[in-house]
Amino acid sequence: MASRSCANFLDMASGELLDIPQTPRALPRVMTVPGIISDVEGYGSNDGDSDVTSSHERKIIVANMLPLLAQRNAETAKWSFSLDKDSLLLQMKDGFSPETEVIYVGSLKVEIDASEQEEVAQKLLDDFNCVPTFLPYDLQKKFYYGFCKQQLWPLFHYMLPMCPDHGERFDRVLWQAYVSANKIFADKVMEVVNPEEDSIWVQDYHLMVLPTFLRKRYNRVKLGFFLHSPFPSSEIYRTLTVRDEILKGLLNCDLIGFHTFDYARHFLSCCSRMMGLDYESKRGHIGLDYFGRTVYIKILPVGIHMGRLESVLNLPSTPIKLKEIQEKFKGKKLIIGVDDMDIFKGISLKLLAFEQLLQQHQELPGKLVLIQIVNPARSSGKDVQEAKRETYLTVSRINEVYGSPDYEPVILIDRPVGRSEKSAYYAVAECCIVNAVRDGMNLVPYKYVVCRQGTPQLDEAMGVKMDCPRTSMLVVSEFIGCSPSLSGAIRVNPWDIDAVAEALNSAITMPESEKQLRHEKHFRYVSSHDVAYWARSFVQDLERACKDHYSKRCWGIGLGLGFRVLSLSPSFRKLSTDYIVSAYKRTTRRAIFLDYDGTVVPQSSIIKVPSPEVITVLNTLCNDPKNTVFIVSGRGRSSLSEWLAPCERLGLAAEHGYFIRWNTSSDWQSIPAADLDWKEIVEPVMKLYTEATDGSNIETKESAVVWHHQDADPDFGSCQAKELLDHLENTVLSTMVNSGKPPDFVMCIGDDRSDEDMFESILSTVSCPSLPAPAIFACTVGRKPSKAKYYLDDTVDVVRLLRGLANASSPKPRHTAHFQNLPRRCTGGLHSGFAGGEGAGVDPSCLSGAELPWEDNLE
């Protein structure tokens, strides 16, 4: 059932409720196809109704904040803007080709008066290719400081609001502000995008439902998303009230990027557990099947901008600051830490570990200094104030116990520190520690490694020869995004104070030769996997993910934030009665297999007895001597016998084909001699797995023993099911006899997932290499992604099609057609098993893959 939070939200969050100025029309409007550029705004499903088209490659980068610095002139009261060269969004351009035009959509860090917004918007578009969103102040506050910072940010860092003093509870007003803000961002993108050619790259957790708005407007738009924060495990994420809406928003992208495999694995687990989606690795790329679309997963940590950092190292102020630091801490070893002031950065844990280090190694006081630089807090909640208070108290205690008039063990720098000064500290420190308890990426270790590599100017200031080997040591938390990429770092559990203290001691006492090897390894990685490499790799994968967009047919389905696109192959088409009748008339050995529930009888019908029309059509088909007609169902043989008694010549395959009866005058056939001794072997094995798997149970049928695990843990249940299948395949004898003529016409119609294996394997089952390929019509009921080539809308269409075949039949008295080696449908696969004549049997191997149905489907 859809959450009420998403009902009609596309309308509730409409920009019409807010007075947001239109983006000035200053972008190229070059026609790429004949037609008229419409000025009409609104929601449609066509992909060609954008107001802007372009004749060259463009990337539209959407982020919470634009890569701009703003300043108002005190005298003229005019705004002046400049590019923020430290912004990741700006540095990403290095990964694109020089011909690529980049447009940025986002908010400004300052509030612009409504009377100035149009003028500012035009200036930003003309000078910087930036499109500002101008969120109203109250909306911005609820969106960013409310939902993003009070609810998403803590949750994604594994903090649950267990009580009012420990995080904010879900607030639907803040959620509505989040959706409204995302809608405004989407509207701004729509004003400038050419959906047929442009690529859109959305950044971070602030805009996770934005893809739904864009996909609703443009079904085939090239859309990527990168999450710069952690993604929590499913146990944490599923506590979020609007979990489904956010997952569906991300799944409306073509490519979703994460820093680490752990974050991607958590996301995939959420999709599997909460939405029942399966994923697989295809040639090194992880793909999720979502309503016929493949949503790809990208795992690649972001890098730093080497040129920008090296330019800071070459500033005249950097060597000067470096000499000051060297002189001030002469004869001492420095450990550097640079963190934001928040509860997730582990500053207090780091200080406790350093205190433990000084306590355990009494030779270190007076010789070792921890420089802790604290970046300004991004929020001012109670948790930040508490973290700050604890930090100051711990620093004060350490300095009192281990300090002296001329020695402070911990230097706490709690003020804005310029890049030049920060880089100088990096270059001097022998070790860098990042001790966060949870962090998205954290580029501090990368920056430290580059600064330790140095430049000619820094070498001269430090008195180091250019060919002198460089060293660096890293102690990093195993819970930060950059940890997997730094294989030479000492990884620690930040909660283990003793282990962190020992890691710091190892780092400062490690032999120089080993420090050199670790540094060289890190520098090679950091310098080659920079921000340009990251951006280039992502957009290349985005292009690859979108290459089949126009080779499929698309339909938009779902309301509000539940909207998604149904994507089907162009070869998947409605089965025409005239088309199949033509093939039907040309063939002489026809096999027709029909599902029961949902195919010849409506799934929703309470009355399961077939209608008189269905009985008449089936009798007509069965009376044609060229036909062998079977109803293949998961239902029991007694029910099928009763309901289809008027069809004397109709073949029945009950319980997914375990029992077969060729007509009402023949006996039911099963495994030869109806030997069910295998149950004595199977049941103990199944009981063993049932006891070990909570939520699973056994159902004993006449022909089968079924192990159900739909109520068990999805991952564990699937794993146990595979193990059980492997186990049983070694204990159940699997034999099959292939003989007889294959049919030249095969029609198979079914309506649900249990029919898919039959569709997939029907060709290989009935075809014979030495004979012409048969005419095969695998058809699903309902327009949905399927392994079948054709579809029919409903049971009415099925009956209409069968009536067409019946009209083309030549009914006359005849003996039962003697088909062999025809496909038999099983829950878990398709096996040869229809065998005519005396003593014909059913392949017992179907039990290992089918009559252990991982879904018990009565059809």
Side-chain angles (χ1 to χ4, degrees):
M1 183 175 70
S3 168
R4 65 187 178 91
S5 62
C6 71
N8 299 321
F9 230 88
L10 290 175
D11 299 324
M12 288 175 61
S14 173
E16 296 174 2
L17 300 178
L18 301 167
D19 187 18
I20 308 298
Q22 293 279 312
T23 298
R25 302 298 183 193
L27 293 173
R29 292 166 61 86
V30 180
M31 294 299 293
T32 57
V33 294
I36 300 173
I37 300 179
S38 172
D39 289 324
V40 177
E41 302 289 347
Y43 270 80
S45 296
N46 298 326
D47 287 291
D49 64 347
S50 171
D51 289 333
V52 179
T53 58
S54 64
S55 57
H56 60 283
E57 184 181 9
R58 293 199 317 179
K59 312 290 183 194
I60 299 178
I61 298 175
V62 193
N64 181 41
M65 292 294 171
L66 292 170
L68 297 173
L69 300 174
Q71 187 174 4
R72 184 189 281 273
N73 188 298
E75 297 180 359
T76 63
K78 291 290 186 181
W79 286 102
S80 62
F81 300 91
S82 61
L83 291 172
D84 181 0
K85 296 182 180 179
D86 294 328
S87 171
L88 174 69
L89 304 179
L90 196 64
Q91 296 169 356
M92 288 163 56
K93 292 180 65 174
D94 287 3
F96 308 152
S97 66
E99 297 78 23
T100 301
E101 179 186 5
V102 180
I103 299 172
Y104 298 99
V105 177
S107 296
L108 290 167
K109 297 171 186 173
V110 294
E111 188 177 0
I112 306 295
D113 188 83
S115 61
E116 302 174 282
Q117 288 179 1
E118 186 173 351
E119 179 184 352
V120 168
Q122 185 66 61
K123 179 176 179 61
L124 296 183
L125 186 61
D126 294 342
D127 296 350
F128 306 106
N129 252 19
C130 289
V131 178
T133 55
F134 296 129
L135 297 183
Y137 176 76
D138 184 59
L139 180 62
Q140 169 72 13
K141 184 178 177 181
K142 292 176 181 176
F143 154 64
Y144 181 72
Y145 294 105
F147 194 77
C148 290
K149 283 302 179 184
Q150 292 180 19
Q151 298 186 355
L152 286 182
W153 177 259
L155 184 80
F156 277 31
H157 287 76
Y158 288 71
M159 179 178 168
L160 293 175
M162 304 300 292
C163 61
D165 292 334
H166 190 65
E168 299 290 337
R169 301 285 174 84
F170 178 77
D171 186 335
R172 192 162 296 279
V173 172
L174 300 183
W175 163 243
Q176 291 173 349
Y178 181 84
V179 176
S180 296
N182 275 243
K183 171 64 167 57
I184 292 172
F185 275 78
D187 288 342
K188 289 299 179 182
V189 173
M190 293 173 195
E191 291 176 8
V192 297
V193 69
N194 173 12
E196 294 181 358
E197 299 179 9
D198 296 347
S199 297
I200 302 173
W201 189 357
V202 182
Q203 306 291 324
D204 221 0
Y205 66 97
H206 315 91
L207 303 171
M208 290 192 291
V209 298
L210 170 64
T212 296
F213 294 112
L214 295 178
R215 186 66 67 190
K216 180 174 176 63
R217 176 72 179 266
Y218 309 119
N219 291 170
R220 292 184 173 89
V221 68
K222 292 182 282 188
L223 185 55
F225 179 93
F226 197 93
L227 183 67
H228 294 272
S229 77
F231 195 93
S233 66
S234 61
E235 289 77 11
I236 299 293
Y237 180 79
R238 64 185 178 187
T239 64
L240 183 61
T241 305
V242 289
R243 61 191 190 183
D244 289 346
E245 290 87 334
I246 288 178
L247 278 184
K248 290 174 182 178
L250 294 177
L251 289 169
N252 274 316
C253 296
D254 298 297
L255 179 66
I256 307 171
F258 300 91
H259 285 306
T260 72
F261 175 72
D262 277 349
Y263 303 160
R265 178 169 54 85
H266 294 160
F267 173 76
L268 292 171
S269 177
C270 289
C271 292
S272 173
R273 290 168 177 268
M274 298 173 203
M275 304 187 69
L277 301 181
D278 296 324
Y279 60 90
E280 61 180 343
S281 180
K282 301 177 181 178
R283 296 185 179 180
H285 301 279
I286 301 174
L288 272 164
D289 183 61
Y290 187 57
F291 290 92
R293 293 174 51 245
T294 299
V295 180
Y296 288 93
I297 305 300
K298 174 79 172 176
I299 302 167
L300 183 66
V302 70
I304 62 173
H305 194 281
M306 293 290 294
R308 176 60 178 160
L309 187 52
E310 288 172 351
S311 68
V312 173
L313 294 177
N314 290 329
L315 291 173
S317 58
T318 305
I320 295 173
K321 190 62 185 178
L322 186 146
K323 287 182 179 180
E324 291 178 5
I325 296 171
Q326 282 184 318
E327 186 64 28
K328 181 177 180 180
F329 298 101
K330 190 173 183 180
K332 297 179 179 66
K333 291 184 177 181
L334 299 188
I335 298 175
I336 183 72
V338 179
D339 303 278
D340 294 345
M341 179 55 77
D342 71 43
I343 59 175
F344 302 113
K345 294 301 187 284
I347 298 176
S348 295
L349 294 173
K350 180 193 306 181
L351 293 172
L352 292 175
F354 186 73
E355 182 180 32
Q356 183 91 325
L357 177 65
L358 296 179
Q359 180 183 346
Q360 292 177 346
H361 299 272
Q362 297 182 5
E363 74 280 4
L364 292 179
K367 298 178 181 179
L368 186 65
V369 177
L370 172 62
I371 307 292
Q372 178 61 56
I373 298 176
V374 178
N375 298 324
R378 301 188 186 185
S379 60
S380 56
K382 292 179 293 185
D383 51 353
V384 173
Q385 297 305 316
E386 178 61 26
K388 189 171 184 178
R389 187 182 69 84
E390 185 181 1
T391 297
Y392 272 85
L393 287 175
T394 308
V395 169
S396 177
R397 184 181 69 246
I398 295 173
N399 288 341
E400 285 180 8
V401 174
Y402 299 99
S404 63
D406 60 345
Y407 169 65
E408 278 188 307
V410 180
I411 305 296
L412 184 64
I413 305 177
D414 189 5
R415 58 173 172 79
V417 178
R419 292 177 60 88
S420 181
E421 181 180 358
K422 200 176 291 184
S423 299
Y425 275 112
Y426 283 142
V428 174
E430 293 197 19
C431 174
C432 175
I433 176 171
V434 178
N435 205 48
V437 297
R438 189 70 60 180
D439 209 351
M441 181 59 193
N442 202 314
L443 296 173
V444 165
Y446 287 14
K447 296 174 182 177
Y448 167 72
V449 168
V450 174
C451 291
R452 288 290 289 177
Q453 182 69 17
T455 64
Q457 291 89 330
L458 283 187
D459 291 344
E460 184 179 348
M462 297 180 70
V464 177
K465 295 181 180 179
M466 289 186 62
D467 58 350
C468 179
R470 309 306 162 103
T471 65
S472 64
M473 281 305 302
L474 287 168
V475 176
V476 300
S477 165
E478 61 189 62
F479 301 120
I480 63 175
C482 66
S483 176
S485 63
L486 297 170
S487 56
I490 301 176
R491 297 192 182 98
V492 295
N493 174 1
W495 301 99
D496 190 341
I497 304 301
D498 293 336
V500 177
E502 186 55 38
L504 288 172
N505 186 57
S506 298
I508 61 177
T509 59
M510 188 173 289
E512 291 295 305
S513 58
E514 187 171 349
K515 289 182 181 179
Q516 292 170 15
L517 290 174
R518 291 173 183 252
H519 171 79
E520 290 170 3
K521 186 176 187 179
H522 289 156
F523 184 74
R524 280 197 303 270
Y525 177 85
V526 173
S527 58
S528 60
H529 292 73
D530 59 359
V531 65
Y533 174 88
W534 169 75
R536 181 167 54 252
S537 179
F538 188 91
V539 297
Q540 287 173 350
D541 278 5
L542 180 58
E543 287 294 328
R544 186 182 298 112
C546 301
K547 63 182 176 63
D548 294 330
H549 270 196
Y550 286 89
S551 66
K552 292 187 175 183
R553 295 182 293 164
C554 297
W555 290 268
I557 58 176
L559 299 174
L561 295 179
F563 176 85
R564 65 268 189 200
V565 168
L566 176 64
S567 182
L568 301 174
S569 168
S571 62
F572 183 71
R573 58 188 186 274
K574 189 168 184 178
L575 184 55
S576 163
T577 301
D578 292 341
Y579 178 67
I580 194 173
V581 165
S582 175
Y584 183 85
K585 289 179 177 179
R586 294 195 305 269
T587 52
T588 59
R589 297 184 307 277
R590 310 179 189 123
I592 299 174
F593 303 99
L594 302 172
D595 185 21
Y596 193 72
D597 292 270
T599 302
V600 296
V601 174
Q603 188 76 51
S604 58
S605 176
I606 299 177
I607 301 174
K608 293 302 180 182
V609 179
S611 66
E613 182 183 13
V614 169
I615 295 296
T616 300
V617 169
L618 290 176
N619 276 328
T620 303
L621 291 173
C622 292
N623 288 334
D624 191 324
K626 300 176 183 178
N627 295 345
T628 295
V629 185
F630 264 86
I631 292 291
V632 186
S633 174
R635 290 192 176 274
R637 50 181 176 172
S638 59
S639 298
L640 293 178
S641 297
E642 178 185 349
W643 295 337
L644 295 165
C647 303
E648 297 181 356
R649 292 193 174 104
L650 177 66
L652 299 180
E655 294 195 20
H656 295 299
Y658 184 85
F659 292 108
I660 292 180
R661 190 185 72 182
W662 289 88
N663 51 52
T664 56
S665 61
S666 64
D667 295 330
W668 284 98
Q669 301 170 358
S670 62
I671 291 178
D675 184 4
L676 298 178
D677 291 343
W678 55 267
K679 284 188 176 183
E680 297 179 4
I681 304 174
V682 168
E683 285 181 323
V685 177
M686 284 192 167
K687 286 180 180 177
L688 179 66
Y689 281 85
T690 301
E691 292 171 0
T693 311
D694 288 342
S696 65
N697 62 85
I698 297 175
E699 177 190 359
T700 302
K701 289 185 174 183
E702 184 179 3
S703 66
V705 181
V706 184
W707 189 62
H708 295 278
H709 66 82
Q710 64 266 33
D711 294 327
D713 179 275
D715 292 335
F716 187 54
S718 297
C719 176
Q720 291 288 75
K722 185 180 185 303
E723 290 292 326
L724 172 58
L725 181 58
D726 292 341
H727 195 150
L728 292 176
E729 283 177 344
N730 294 324
T731 58
V732 178
L733 179 63
S734 175
T735 60
M736 58 191 315
V737 178
N738 296 314
S739 61
K741 278 186 174 182
D744 56 5
F745 176 99
V746 178
M747 183 180 76
C748 177
I749 305 178
D751 73 306
D752 61 23
R753 197 171 70 180
S754 64
D755 299 294
E756 292 298 309
D757 289 331
M758 176 168 60
F759 296 150
E760 184 177 38
S761 55
I762 192 171
L763 178 60
S764 60
T765 305
V766 301
S767 61
C768 179
S770 61
L771 295 174
I776 296 176
F777 300 90
C779 181
T780 187
V781 180
R783 188 182 306 187
K784 57 183 180 291
S786 172
K787 295 170 184 174
K789 189 176 180 180
Y790 303 97
Y791 73 89
L792 292 170
D793 287 329
D794 48 31
T795 56
V796 176
D797 268 1
V798 174
V799 175
R800 185 182 297 117
L801 178 74
L802 295 178
R803 191 190 309 122
L805 296 181
N807 292 336
S809 300
S810 303
K812 62 184 70 173
R814 50 101 175 195
H815 297 292
T816 301
H818 194 95
F819 274 104
Q820 291 185 341
N821 195 32
L822 296 185
R824 175 166 59 87
R825 189 186 123 216
C826 303
T827 305
L830 188 69
H831 303 270
S832 298
F834 284 114
E838 194 70 19
V842 181
D843 174 16
S845 69
C846 199
L847 293 173
S848 65
E851 287 303 303
L852 305 174
W854 312 138
E855 61 171 4
D856 184 24
N857 218 356
L858 294 180
E859 305 177 313

